[in-house]
Structure formats: structure tokens, C-alpha cells
Amino acid sequence: MFEFVLPAWITLALAGALGQLLRALVGVKKAIDSGEQIDTERLVWTTLYGMFWGGIIGYFCQDWKAAFTSGFAVTDFTEGLVKVLQHKAVNNKKK
């Protein structure tokens, strides 16, 4: 019998992507509820970003749960950081 097993780094990267997609479901639901259009390009890029960081962190930790969590958390952290920096840049221009 043939057994197909994915390499560990692919499994960990997919866990990171799944973590990000779970996070994205909240944003998709909010967009649908408010009647906004879903930004599919952003959805794809953030999923790839979560996949990248999930793979990296999961590989070093050798744990799929770390990959899943980092796919969720790193993207959230990065988006929050960008918002803070944009707000700071806008306030500096006003001065």
C-alpha cells in the first residue's frame, strides 16, 4: 500500500495558513454583515503571510499548534502595528 506523507515544513505551513484563514473568517463575516465587498486579494496575501510565518515558527518549535497560532497571531500583530504606524504618520503630518 502506498502511503503519502507531506514533509513537516509543508504541514506546518498549512497549519499557519489555516490559523490565518480562521482569523480571516471573522473579517469576512463582518464584511458580509455590513454589506461591504470582500477584498479577495488581501485575503490571499494575508493567508500566504500566515502560511509563511506559521511555517517558520512551527519549524523552529516543531509543533503544529505553534504554527497554527502564529499564523493567526503574527498577522494580527502586523496589521495592528501597521495601523499604529499609519496613525502616527498622519499625526506627524498635522504638526
Side-chain angles (χ1 to χ4, degrees), residues 37-48:
Q37 185 175 355
I38 297 169
D39 186 354
T40 54
E41 184 178 350
R42 182 176 178 191
L43 181 64
V44 169
W45 281 111
T46 57
T47 302
L48 291 173

Side-chain angles (χ1 to χ4, degrees), residues 19-65:
Q20 167 50 26
L21 283 172
L22 178 66
R23 180 185 172 275
L25 283 176
V26 175
V28 169
K29 183 178 179 334
K30 285 181 183 179
I32 291 170
D33 289 347
S34 67
E36 295 177 31
Q37 185 175 355
I38 297 169
D39 186 354
T40 54
E41 184 178 350
R42 182 176 178 191
L43 181 64
V44 169
W45 281 111
T46 57
T47 302
L48 291 173
Y49 190 73
M51 178 183 271
F52 173 78
W53 283 109
I56 296 290
I57 294 170
Y59 180 79
F60 285 112
C61 295
Q62 289 298 307
D63 183 19
W64 69 268
K65 293 173 270 187

